[in-house]
Amino acid sequence: MENTLTLIGVFTLLCCTAVIAIPNRPPGIYIEPDKDIYFKPGETVMMPCVGDGYPKVIYTWKKNGKDFNPSGNDDRMVQLANSGTIVINRPEDKDEGIFQCFAENEFGRSMTNHVNLREGILAEFPTGENEYHSPELGTALTLECIPPTSYPKAQVEWVLKGRSGRNEAINYNNRVTMDLEARLHITNVKAKDHQEGKAYVCMAINYFMRHNEFDHGHFINPRGTAELKIGPTYQWATPSDHFGLVGEKFRMKCIFAGNPTPEVFWRKTNGQLPPDVGISQGGQEITIQSLTNEDGGKYECYGTNTQGQKANRIINLSVQSKPYWIQKPEDIETSEGASATFLCKADGKPTPKTEWFVNGVPIDESTDDTVLSNRFMKPNDMNVTIDDLKLTDVFVIQCNCSNSHGYKFADVYLNVLREAPQFVKRPEENAKVAESNSVDLSCQTSGKPDPIITWFKEGQQITGGRYQIRPNGNLHIDSVVLSDAGRYRCTANNSYGFVEASGSLTVRRKARIESKPGDLEVNSGSDAKFTCTGTTDFNEVLNLGVTWQKDGKNITTNDQRMTQNFQDNSLTISGTISRDSGFYTCVVQDKLSVATASAILTVKDKPDPPVDVTLVKCLQEKAEVTWTKGASNNAPVQYFVVEYNTTFTPDKWTYAQKVGSTQTKATLKIAPNVVYTFRVLSVNKRGQSEPSAHTSARCTTNPTRPSKNPSNVRTIGDLRNFLVVEWTPMPPIQQAGDKFEYILTVIKDGITIHTSNINNYTITRKNIPTNDIFVPYDITVKAKNEIGESNAALITYKGYSAEDIPQVTVGNFAVEEVTDSAATFVWDWDMSYNNVTPNTPIRGFFQGFKIQFWRRGAKSETFREREVLKSQIKLKYGSRRKRAVTTLTFTVDDLQPYTNMEAQIVVMNTYYVSPPSAVISLQTLPGVPGPVQSFTVPQTGSNFVMLAWDQPDETDRNGLIVGYDIGYQTISGLDLGKMQDRVPQINDPYTNRTVLNGLVAKQKYRVHIWGRTMMGRGEDYFIEVTTAAAGSQTVPSFDIKNVNETFFNVTWNSVISSKAGTVVYVEFRKDGASDWQQTTDEVSNNWKGVANLEGGTSYEVRLAVTNGMSRSTSGTQYVSTTGIAAAYNLGANFGWFIGMMLALLIIIAIGALIVFCRKQAQEKMEDKYRAKPDKSRMYDREGEPRGHSNDYYKERRRLERNDSFDDVRKDDGGFDDRKYDDDYDDRRYSDYPEDDRNRDYDDRDYDDKDRDYDDKDRDYYRDDDRRYDDYDREDGYDRDGRRYSYDRDDDYDRDRDRDYDYDRDGKGYDDRRDYDPDDKYPSDVDDKYPEDEDHAYEPYQRSGYERSESKDKKRISDMDDEYKREPSKFDDDGYPVEAEGGAAGSSTCV
């Protein structure tokens, strides 16, 4: 048994060994050192050399062609284990040399290229003395520099070195520049080149050595005071015959001396400049980034300035190259009996020479048997072939291709094998592919000779058609269909063995695009969006993805302007530009398939500038320019614009001509004695292109006489006793020659009194003393240059000497009409003064008037003036009268309302104004006020906010403030609710704090406030505030007062806090009853009357508060009404009952007679009837006071009241608010005390005219025939009909025609006017309490306007307890009465 196990183990080991056997392979080096390696003494340096092969390779080195053992150089030099890399820890100069690494085993020898190891060095500059240079200003100067020896090559720069030793870099430009051989050139010396005595020093920098060296100094001391003007001359240029290497950067430079500094231009004589050429140093240097063979040829550089002919230089560029591979040899592994061919093809200029080596030995010197056999052939220098290979034909072969610029080296091997087939890559066990795609099933093997591969599907051999066996053994299936799914098997066999393997193929539906992107056309700067959707096989849905490409390249997240929305897979290009145009491809792919759909984006952008702008003709008066159109960028070019600049303004380009889009040539008019250059711009509907390059050639014209004289000659009258002449200057481009001047001539009364020659063309003003005021003169200004005077006709201009203060004053200046913001003034004026005549009292050109005005007492702070120009003069009577003196009028607007002002008027000429007229006074009418100065919320509750404000600024009140209006609206997101007004509004101008009740908890509001004058509301001021969340509420304590047979009054303490409910009502019920009755809500007063009670009955009473979300109630109190309780047994009182019935019938008859009489009287006195106020405005649930959230009150009532509440009110004698209203309305208006009547009359709401009471078609009367004197401010009053009309404005504070005779003894108004049914309800009248405690009962109180002056009124605050005080006396029926007892009126039937 033990022996059996041993045999099995040995067999298994042999099998595994056979499987993992590694074939022999010659060596190959795959990591080798650079050709040049520098070291710095003391710093570690490394020469890498790593290769492989089997058996394991051995590394050796040669130095300077001799064997080299690194271990023989003490511990400074180490060769790393398992590689040939040498590390030198402390290199010395003796380590320099040419090194080469070798890797070898028994099958061959591989080697690297030669490595030049040398020490880095930067030698010192040769010792030299400082040099001193004294060039003349404007001449050229060259400073020599011979760079020192340096490895690697040093970079050379010029610096300025001061006495402190500090170095300053020199900024190179086209005047101060360095050539390519390190010399410094100054094309024209200027005084600033002295550089405060600093030395110009040549500096060499070796960055590898981290060291620099300085040459001796050069000091420049320019001579002369004026710079010499010198034409362009050659100073330095790249050698005329020069070569560059393909692929490398190449620089050419031309420096031309001259003053002004010459401009340098380049051209290629046999074609255009290379597209990647860069121009720098003011045009002196061009750089070709990567040289190509096409870049060879002749290049011309030329320099120009304004002082002479151009200088030029020709450079012949020859393009050569280092060797480069055309076909590089590769490793060959093949079988016995085959043949092997190594190709080593390289090219270069000069043509490279090819050398072959076998195992590092030149072929001609090799002793290898294979090389010496007739099977080893070399048909040419680039081909080595070995036929009928033997197992012993194993070696490493090298080829080297070199010319004068470098070499290319290859190191490859030949390996001849005898090997049974083995799988390198088996078929996949479960390969997947999408339909319509192609697939390769892997079956890669090794073996020598190469194995024969055969494929089978489901046992059947595969041949031809869509099936193809690749050279590497893979099976390629083209255009896969669903039926191609199944099991596949491949076999491999050669003369040494046989192997096979199998795998399966699954075919799935391919990805598809459902929504393709569409073509887009957009303007640059706008956004473009492509959309795309796709689907795929159900099993690949999780692998499905959408990506985008532009012009075949994936769009990455690096471009922040192109973003993909991964929700809908859309692509958005933000801020498109012209280069965004192209093909955009939507790529829908899963792991098996890809579907694409493309769309074109067209971005219309500004065009590219024209190219090849050329001056083709330059004549004395015209020039011709041609160009080639640039790209239109998807928007057709509409036209071209040609611009020019001149030597007079070299930095300014001027419009010359506009040319149609179909033309590429322009003929331009040019001026004499000018040097022009031209450029062209393209314009399309998207805009204007960048300018083209300017023409390389300049157009120069000859001088001639000026063709025009100065224009716009005029006199300026701003300098007393002088004639001041001005004109428009003629710029150099109009002067037509040198030595230009103006000739100024002044003539008075036919006699020339002044002539001046002005040779500075920038002077445009001449002051000539005359010692007179506004006297006419004839003036001429002529142009002249070195050729002669202008040939244009000379124009004589009429001018006047200086103006002075007018000697006339406006008469009869008065104000005719004044409004709140404007005043119309009138004055008398002699219209003959408007004419331009000498010796006029205007003493100049009449320009108009100035009306000056200011606030009385503050002239310096508020002084303003309004010009009335001559063209704005307006006649008061519409046409000028025959007499010279005419009345003029002008309206000055934008005045401050309600302001005492003063005004005056002056006369204007061009520079002066006359003495002012007499000062007049005026007062603007009142206007509406500006906003309050501040508006804050000191306290916030769940259904109220406390508001505080400051009056409008004194200067912004625009009248007497008579009150404030407050409105509010809900805010929900960005939506504003309907504006609601606070009721009552505030009619006390001194009030600056109030409470806004009836709000909804946790609701955001916008609250507005307007100041109000007699003219109405002013500018609003609003704030936004959020009410507090609803919470527990504090119920105030209460007392029951004024109890009689049918009425009692409930009074509570007003508490304003965040926990206090601001809506209060009273709940009551008969003692022993189960259901509570309740009064209407109270939001203004701190008392509530309960009426229509039963006499002699005990009631349970409690107080309830609510904030709209919840309510709280107080403890209960008991109260008994006075009187005797009603009898419950009718039989015991039968006689009394019969008597009562008879009495009732008599009363009814009498009442009917009285009603009949009253109706007869009313028909005769129709103007005496009056409308009864609808008290439902106070108590009816459908008529609650404005300014509160009625909806939430209704909801609260619906939730709190039970269904039997109405029955209790009707059947059980409960509280009937309508009956209470009717009873309450029977009171006489005269029962109110005098102060209350004043308040009632004054405190009206301006906005009530918008209410519609037409639906209340009822008449109300009072027993005393006296009416409520309550009407809306904007309602008109019909005196004839003794009623109010909405067609007229009843502003009681301004209407002075009404006669309200207040009867102080009778406590009422005696005009006896009746109410119209459409008038406001009495509940809308603003009532106030008298000063004493015994004031009248008021159902609903509003603060309003009083007719007394605001300053005499007592300050009112909505927070004042006195304002909320309840009445203290009531009559027998429970109605409030005056403390002093007013006279009760009565009415009878006549």
Side-chain angles (χ1 to χ4, degrees), residues 72-91:
N73 290 269
D74 54 49
D75 60 350
R76 293 185 307 105
M77 194 174 295
V78 177
Q79 181 174 324
L80 300 182
N82 298 320
S83 76
T85 301
I86 293 178
V87 177
I88 306 175
N89 291 318
R90 297 181 301 280

CSV table of all heavy atoms in Angstrom, one decimal, residues 72-91:
chain,number,residue,atom,x,y,z
A,72,GLY,N,34.9,45.6,-7.8
A,72,GLY,CA,36.3,45.9,-7.6
A,72,GLY,C,36.6,47.4,-7.3
A,72,GLY,O,37.7,47.8,-7.3
A,73,ASN,N,35.5,48.2,-6.9
A,73,ASN,CA,35.7,49.6,-6.7
A,73,ASN,C,35.2,49.9,-5.3
A,73,ASN,O,34.3,50.7,-5.0
A,73,ASN,CB,34.9,50.4,-7.7
A,73,ASN,CG,35.5,50.4,-9.1
A,73,ASN,OD1,36.3,51.2,-9.4
A,73,ASN,ND2,35.1,49.3,-9.9
A,74,ASP,N,35.8,49.2,-4.3
A,74,ASP,CA,35.5,49.3,-2.8
A,74,ASP,C,33.9,49.4,-2.7
A,74,ASP,O,33.2,48.9,-3.5
A,74,ASP,CB,36.1,50.5,-2.2
A,74,ASP,CG,35.9,51.8,-2.9
A,74,ASP,OD1,34.7,52.1,-3.2
A,74,ASP,OD2,36.9,52.6,-3.1
A,75,ASP,N,33.5,50.0,-1.6
A,75,ASP,CA,32.0,50.0,-1.3
A,75,ASP,C,31.3,51.1,-2.0
A,75,ASP,O,30.1,51.3,-1.7
A,75,ASP,CB,31.8,50.0,0.2
A,75,ASP,CG,32.4,51.3,0.8
A,75,ASP,OD1,33.1,52.0,0.1
A,75,ASP,OD2,32.1,51.5,2.0
A,76,ARG,N,31.9,51.9,-2.8
A,76,ARG,CA,31.2,53.0,-3.4
A,76,ARG,C,30.2,52.5,-4.5
A,76,ARG,O,29.3,53.2,-4.9
A,76,ARG,CB,32.2,54.0,-4.1
A,76,ARG,CG,33.0,54.8,-3.1
A,76,ARG,CD,33.9,55.8,-3.8
A,76,ARG,NE,34.7,55.3,-4.9
A,76,ARG,CZ,34.4,55.4,-6.2
A,76,ARG,NH1,33.3,56.1,-6.5
A,76,ARG,NH2,35.1,54.9,-7.1
A,77,MET,N,30.6,51.4,-5.1
A,77,MET,CA,29.8,50.9,-6.3
A,77,MET,C,29.2,49.5,-6.0
A,77,MET,O,29.9,48.6,-5.5
A,77,MET,CB,30.8,50.8,-7.5
A,77,MET,CG,30.0,50.7,-8.8
A,77,MET,SD,31.2,50.8,-10.2
A,77,MET,CE,31.8,52.5,-10.1
A,78,VAL,N,27.9,49.4,-6.2
A,78,VAL,CA,27.2,48.1,-5.9
A,78,VAL,C,26.4,47.7,-7.1
A,78,VAL,O,25.7,48.6,-7.7
A,78,VAL,CB,26.3,48.3,-4.7
A,78,VAL,CG1,25.5,47.1,-4.4
A,78,VAL,CG2,27.2,48.7,-3.5
A,79,GLN,N,26.3,46.4,-7.4
A,79,GLN,CA,25.4,45.9,-8.4
A,79,GLN,C,24.3,45.2,-7.7
A,79,GLN,O,24.5,44.3,-6.9
A,79,GLN,CB,26.1,44.9,-9.4
A,79,GLN,CG,25.2,44.4,-10.5
A,79,GLN,CD,26.0,43.5,-11.5
A,79,GLN,OE1,27.1,43.8,-11.8
A,79,GLN,NE2,25.3,42.5,-11.9
A,80,LEU,N,23.0,45.6,-8.0
A,80,LEU,CA,21.9,45.1,-7.3
A,80,LEU,C,21.6,43.7,-7.6
A,80,LEU,O,21.9,43.2,-8.7
A,80,LEU,CB,20.6,45.9,-7.7
A,80,LEU,CG,20.7,47.4,-7.4
A,80,LEU,CD1,19.4,48.1,-7.8
A,80,LEU,CD2,21.0,47.7,-5.9
A,81,ALA,N,21.1,42.9,-6.6
A,81,ALA,CA,20.8,41.5,-6.8
A,81,ALA,C,19.8,41.3,-7.8
A,81,ALA,O,18.8,42.1,-8.0
A,81,ALA,CB,20.4,40.9,-5.4
A,82,ASN,N,19.9,40.2,-8.6
A,82,ASN,CA,18.9,39.7,-9.6
A,82,ASN,C,18.7,40.8,-10.7
A,82,ASN,O,17.7,40.8,-11.4
A,82,ASN,CB,17.6,39.4,-9.0
A,82,ASN,CG,17.6,38.3,-8.0
A,82,ASN,OD1,18.3,37.3,-8.2
A,82,ASN,ND2,16.9,38.4,-6.9
A,83,SER,N,19.7,41.7,-10.9
A,83,SER,CA,19.7,42.6,-12.0
A,83,SER,C,21.1,43.1,-12.3
A,83,SER,O,22.0,42.8,-11.5
A,83,SER,CB,18.8,43.8,-11.7
A,83,SER,OG,19.4,44.7,-10.8
A,84,GLY,N,21.3,43.8,-13.4
A,84,GLY,CA,22.6,44.3,-13.7
A,84,GLY,C,22.7,45.8,-13.3
A,84,GLY,O,23.8,46.4,-13.6
A,85,THR,N,21.8,46.4,-12.6
A,85,THR,CA,21.8,47.8,-12.2
A,85,THR,C,23.0,48.1,-11.3
A,85,THR,O,23.2,47.4,-10.3
A,85,THR,CB,20.5,48.2,-11.5
A,85,THR,OG1,19.4,47.9,-12.4
A,85,THR,CG2,20.5,49.6,-11.2
A,86,ILE,N,23.7,49.1,-11.7
A,86,ILE,CA,24.9,49.6,-10.9
A,86,ILE,C,24.5,50.9,-10.1
A,86,ILE,O,24.0,51.8,-10.8
A,86,ILE,CB,26.1,49.8,-11.7
A,86,ILE,CG1,26.6,48.5,-12.3
A,86,ILE,CG2,27.2,50.5,-10.9
A,86,ILE,CD1,27.8,48.6,-13.2
A,87,VAL,N,24.7,50.9,-8.8
A,87,VAL,CA,24.5,52.1,-8.0
A,87,VAL,C,25.9,52.6,-7.5
A,87,VAL,O,26.6,51.8,-6.9
A,87,VAL,CB,23.5,51.8,-6.9
A,87,VAL,CG1,23.4,53.1,-6.0
A,87,VAL,CG2,22.2,51.3,-7.4
A,88,ILE,N,26.2,53.9,-7.8
A,88,ILE,CA,27.5,54.5,-7.4
A,88,ILE,C,27.1,55.5,-6.3
A,88,ILE,O,26.4,56.5,-6.5
A,88,ILE,CB,28.2,55.2,-8.5
A,88,ILE,CG1,28.4,54.2,-9.7
A,88,ILE,CG2,29.5,55.7,-8.0
A,88,ILE,CD1,29.0,54.8,-10.9
A,89,ASN,N,27.5,55.2,-5.0
A,89,ASN,CA,27.1,56.0,-3.9
A,89,ASN,C,27.8,57.3,-3.8
A,89,ASN,O,27.2,58.4,-3.6
A,89,ASN,CB,27.3,55.2,-2.6
A,89,ASN,CG,26.3,54.0,-2.5
A,89,ASN,OD1,25.1,54.2,-2.8
A,89,ASN,ND2,26.8,52.9,-2.1
A,90,ARG,N,29.1,57.3,-4.0
A,90,ARG,CA,29.9,58.5,-3.9
A,90,ARG,C,30.7,58.6,-5.2
A,90,ARG,O,31.9,58.3,-5.2
A,90,ARG,CB,30.8,58.5,-2.7
A,90,ARG,CG,29.9,58.5,-1.4
A,90,ARG,CD,30.9,58.6,-0.2
A,90,ARG,NE,31.8,57.4,-0.1
A,90,ARG,CZ,31.4,56.2,0.3
A,90,ARG,NH1,30.2,56.0,0.7
A,90,ARG,NH2,32.3,55.2,0.3
A,91,PRO,N,30.1,59.0,-6.3
A,91,PRO,CA,30.9,59.0,-7.6
A,91,PRO,C,32.0,60.0,-7.5
A,91,PRO,O,32.0,61.0,-6.9
A,91,PRO,CB,29.8,59.3,-8.6
A,91,PRO,CG,28.8,60.1,-7.8
A,91,PRO,CD,28.8,59.5,-6.5
